[in-house]
Amino acid sequence: MPAKKVCIVGSGNWGSAIAKIVGHNAKGSNRFDPIVNMWVFEEMIDGKKLTEIINTEHENVKYLPGHKLPKNVVAVPEITEAVKGASVLIFVIPHQFIGRLCDQMKPHITQGTIGISLIKGIDEGPEGLKLISDIIREKLEIEVSVLMGANIANEVADEKFCETTIGAKNEANGHIFKELLQTPNFRITVVQESDTVELCGALKNIVAVGAGFCDGLGFGDNTKAASCGVADLITTCYGGRNRKVAEAFAKTSKSIEELEAEMLNGQKLQGPQTSAEVFKILKKRDMINKFPLFASVYQICFEGKAVQEFITCLQNHPEHM
């Protein structure tokens, strides 16, 4: 079998943490080509191109400072160039950019290519909810698995122990991705319930925004726990960027957009955007009353509802009794 060429589509905080693992694993395996391309949205940092900094200093100084990337990870600014010859694609970009990027990639995708999405978001399709993996599947006509878990990027990059789940409808592909992505400190379970895994990864970001509101309003951990679930959800509600920005939103009079620009150094939030897509679907299906948490997060982020009303929204709903 010829060695599989890997391309990482995205290079933010999470993409760079994954590049650290993938670069290391590809170098030590016969199954993968040792050179891993990483598509980088080109930016100027102190007068130098970000791709040039990564390729000379082997560090993503903007999105994952303080961590050296393996030298076999090569930053490529053109998406068409990055995916050339790749038969394994790892998608790790903000979900709002996926459609446009897939359109640019399509002419360069070879038969037998497989993909995995690490993107925690959903889209609104004509029939209702649309998974990001489905957008990739349809646009590129390839098999797509997903990886979702309680994985805060900096902790993964620091090689702190954590677990994650790969959802792969095709079991053989799941094991290829496990070989490429698992380390002693990044433990992977492969399951076939791919859609469920992806849905949980997306929806928990909305809950994390609610958890941030609780923190910003000065409520205790019991209040926050009342709006949380398990593993990925809990981690996000205590440590993630969605929670952090939502806390600042509750404490200041600034908009989500302003805070995102101020606090995240170019990274994007997924929670508010996901809440907007979910809200449209709930409205269409006349199900807003069944999901008070999702609805109130959306209304606070986008419709000017007072953040102080967040808990009231939940208290007044029979579904929460």
Side-chain angles (χ1 to χ4, degrees):
M1 287 286 286
K4 295 178 187 298
K5 175 95 175 147
V6 179
C7 173
I8 301 169
V9 181
S11 58
N13 187 229
W14 186 209
S16 299
I18 283 296
K20 228 181 135 174
I21 292 175
V22 170
H24 182 266
N25 285 355
K27 198 166 49 183
S29 160
N30 298 329
R31 197 198 285 260
F32 304 105
D33 186 312
I35 299 297
V36 173
N37 282 0
M38 177 169 76
W39 174 67
V40 174
F41 179 78
E42 192 67 281
E43 299 176 64
M44 298 303 288
I45 311 286
D46 296 332
K48 283 177 81 175
K49 290 179 175 173
L50 183 55
T51 50
E52 284 175 12
I53 296 170
I54 293 171
N55 289 334
T56 53
E57 295 171 29
H58 308 290
E59 183 182 344
N60 188 334
V61 292
K62 178 161 186 186
Y63 294 108
L64 194 67
H67 287 278
K68 287 292 176 194
L69 299 178
K71 290 182 175 153
N72 56 315
V73 173
V74 179
V76 182
E78 293 296 330
I79 186 62
T80 50
E81 190 61 39
V83 299
K84 211 169 273 178
S87 57
V88 176
L89 302 173
I90 300 172
F91 294 89
V92 54
I93 55 169
H95 76 273
Q96 45 270 53
F97 305 136
I98 192 68
R100 195 181 63 218
L101 214 54
C102 283
D103 291 340
Q104 291 173 270
M105 292 164 68
K106 180 66 173 102
H108 306 276
I109 300 298
T110 50
Q111 210 175 357
T113 295
I114 59 172
I116 188 164
S117 170
L118 280 62
I119 300 169
K120 292 177 174 176
I122 51 163
D123 205 15
E124 189 213 2
E127 303 301 309
L129 191 138
K130 198 169 179 74
L131 298 172
I132 302 304
S133 65
D134 283 337
I135 296 173
I136 301 169
R137 265 182 212 106
E138 287 165 23
K139 286 190 174 282
L140 300 185
E141 297 172 39
I142 63 172
E143 280 209 16
V144 184
S145 303
V146 300
L147 180 146
M148 303 279 151
N151 312 137
I152 287 175
N154 289 45
E155 294 188 13
V156 173
D158 285 335
E159 296 175 24
K160 291 179 177 166
F161 182 85
C162 59
E163 294 181 303
T164 200
T165 303
I166 287 177
K169 290 172 184 173
N170 177 314
E171 210 176 337
N173 290 354
H175 290 292
I176 291 171
F177 288 121
K178 181 169 180 169
E179 186 182 326
L180 181 60
L181 291 159
Q182 180 160 273
T183 75
N185 285 320
F186 189 61
R187 307 303 296 166
I188 292 172
T189 306
V190 180
V191 301
Q192 288 190 294
E193 290 298 320
S194 182
D195 293 354
T196 311
V197 170
E198 185 170 3
L199 207 47
C200 290
L203 296 178
K204 55 95 194 179
N205 278 331
I206 309 177
V207 186
V209 175
F213 292 159
C214 288
D215 289 342
L217 294 164
F219 296 134
D221 286 346
N222 287 343
T223 313
K224 183 153 65 167
S227 66
C228 293
V230 291
D232 188 9
L233 185 54
I234 291 170
T235 300
T236 311
C237 287
Y238 282 87
R241 68 181 80 149
N242 289 278
R243 187 216 60 80
K244 186 168 103 177
V245 173
E247 178 183 1
F249 177 88
K251 286 179 170 173
T252 68
S253 54
K254 294 176 180 175
S255 70
I256 292 280
E257 291 76 23
E258 285 174 281
L259 291 166
E260 188 180 58
E262 241 174 64
M263 298 171 69
L264 293 185
N265 190 28
Q267 295 173 51
K268 292 280 176 228
L269 277 189
Q270 298 298 295
Q273 177 89 19
T274 304
S275 79
E277 277 135 11
V278 167
F279 189 81
K280 282 184 208 158
I281 293 159
L282 294 177
K283 196 170 180 181
K284 205 180 279 179
R285 299 278 168 98
D286 202 19
M287 289 169 73
I288 287 170
N289 283 344
K290 289 201 182 322
F291 294 89
L293 182 112
F294 289 173
S296 58
V297 166
Y298 165 77
Q299 287 158 343
I300 290 164
C301 287
F302 295 102
E303 292 192 341
K305 178 178 269 204
V307 71
Q308 287 74 14
E309 286 180 42
F310 178 59
I311 296 299
T312 322
C313 302
L314 305 184
Q315 287 167 336
N316 295 340
H317 270 276
E319 283 80 4
H320 270 256
M321 297 304 171

